Amino acid sequence: MYSAYSLLLTLVLLAWSPSLLLGALGIGRRRDGWRERLGRYPEPLVARLQGVHPVWLHAVSVGEVAAASVLAALWTTRRPTLSLLVSTVTDTGREVAKRSFPKAAGVVYFPLDLPMIVHEALAAVSPRLILLTETEIWPNFLRACAASKIPVVMINGRISPRSFQRYRLVQPFFRPVLQGIDLFCMQSAADAERILALGASPERVRVVGNLKFDVTPPADASSRAEQWRRELKIESGQPVVVAGSTHAGEEEALLRAFMRLRQEFPSLLLILAPRHPDRLAGVEALIAGNGLTAVRRSQLAGTRDGATQIVLLDTIGELSALYAVGSVAFVGGSLIPRGGHNLLEPALHGCPVVFGPHMENFAEASAFFVERGAALQVKNTERLAEELAGLLRDPAARDRMGKAALEALVAHRGACERTVALLEQYVS
């Protein structure tokens, strides 16, 4: 089965071979990235890691990096000599990881999951422990770790209903793969039940909660918010909708809602953050096609005036902070069947949260927030404009929702402490 999996992955990579070859040869901007994905890490980094045996923490992208950084901060405070190597998959995750883990031995790309490549990567790093976030399950990598007797722990583990159905199709193969993970620190009882159903050993599964609830705003959050208001030229009392992590199909709905809202709230500002930065040009064309004006965040200095209606976020790692200036936040990936994105970031700033019907990836958290009056879930795009208008009209309702969101966060904290307590057995 492993051979069949490796062959399938190789065929997929061959389909991408022109891009892979150009990147590996340095033709283009991803030479270093592709070398690292082939398990060839920079020689100075490999030299620094000799004899260190770091903890290798893998966080696929921005959201996972944020959660993992909270865990790392607590653990390294208690163990100052603990060395960390951080890996990501996405370019945005890498950029945020460099800022979030300033004391890490290095930040690299995760290797492609082929036997020779993962063996080379593990030999170069020689980790004492591997931490995989959420749903990062790589069969050949796990098999190589088991062969080298390197313990692997899944932290902040979750298995969405959609992922569960896909994994069930290959359960005979998946069951032995899961034996390569020594401990599963799952977010919820439902996640634990799914990983058990897929073949994890019961004695290795623990429910510890969601690390993202333990994220706290920076000490200078208020001053940062004021700085954003000045930079965006947001007037006192001016309404702002922050739409984060949006996908194709959602921007159209948001622009329709925005145009309706502007009839009642002429000064309304929309801060729009597409999930994938490479879609920005298309989103700009969509905005212009609707007769609206927009400016990119990177071009803000001296350009925004009262005529600008939309700010497009084209920078990395700033969305969470921008929620602090929002009157209302919309969480993307939820009006279309993408499973939703992180609703905890706007909640962290006491910003009322609205999302669509598809929040499967955050089912427990979204239901908890709705039940506590800390968020609103809309059934369709028509209801989106109505609910946003209702909140923009009612400052008291926004204040109640914001406070309820902060209370919901506090009620679910503690996953970080529980996870660190379980990880101690692997480094003592």
Side-chain angles (χ1 to χ4, degrees), residues 229-243:
R229 291 187 182 96
R230 289 193 299 271
E231 188 165 349
L232 296 170
K233 299 181 175 65
I234 299 173
E235 303 292 338
S236 177
Q238 181 180 2
V240 180
V241 173
V242 181

Side-chain angles (χ1 to χ4, degrees), residues 327-328 350-352 391-403:
S327 308
V328 186
C351 185
L391 287 169
L392 291 173
R393 292 188 200 109
D394 192 344
R398 296 201 305 270
D399 186 59
R400 286 195 300 273
M401 281 186 66
K403 289 179 178 177

Side-chain angles (χ1 to χ4, degrees), residues 96-223:
V96 173
K98 287 180 179 179
R99 297 197 296 268
S100 301
F101 297 89
K103 296 182 180 180
V107 176
V108 299
Y109 286 105
F110 195 73
L112 296 173
D113 195 36
L114 291 172
M116 289 182 63
I117 293 175
V118 297
H119 278 290
E120 185 169 354
L122 288 171
V125 175
S126 186
R128 69 168 71 184
L129 171 67
I130 305 283
L131 304 181
L132 302 176
T133 58
E134 299 204 4
T135 55
E136 289 295 287
I137 301 171
W138 297 100
N140 284 322
F141 185 81
L142 291 172
R143 193 182 195 190
C145 289
S148 299
K149 294 183 170 51
I150 303 168
V152 179
V153 177
M154 177 182 287
I155 60 170
N156 216 37
R158 70 179 177 92
I159 302 290
S160 70
R162 184 167 57 179
S163 297
F164 179 61
Q165 294 304 323
R166 290 200 300 264
Y167 287 141
R168 286 185 68 180
L169 297 175
V170 290
Q171 188 173 8
F173 169 60
F174 208 67
R175 184 179 293 272
V177 169
L178 292 181
Q179 300 311 306
I181 300 179
D182 297 80
L183 179 65
F184 299 84
C185 297
M186 307 304 290
Q187 293 183 16
S188 70
D191 293 309
E193 289 172 5
R194 293 184 191 115
I195 204 71
L196 287 168
L198 292 173
S201 301
E203 67 274 9
R204 298 183 180 186
V205 178
R206 301 287 187 276
V207 177
V208 298
N210 189 339
L211 292 175
K212 291 177 181 177
F213 280 100
D214 284 19
V215 177
T216 57
D220 60 347
S222 296
S223 61

Side-chain angles (χ1 to χ4, degrees), residues 381-426:
T381 57
E382 289 72 23
R383 291 295 301 168
L384 174 62
E386 295 172 15
E387 295 294 355
L388 289 175
L391 287 169
L392 291 173
R393 292 188 200 109
D394 192 344
R398 296 201 305 270
D399 186 59
R400 286 195 300 273
M401 281 186 66
K403 289 179 178 177
L406 289 170
E407 291 170 358
L409 284 172
V410 171
H412 265 58
R413 282 178 178 156
C416 195
E417 286 278 359
R418 289 187 284 271
T419 304
V420 166
L422 290 167
L423 293 179
E424 280 293 305
Q425 64 185 297
Y426 298 100

Side-chain angles (χ1 to χ4, degrees), residues 343-354:
L343 73 159
L344 305 182
E345 288 184 338
L348 186 64
H349 296 284
C351 185
V353 185
V354 178

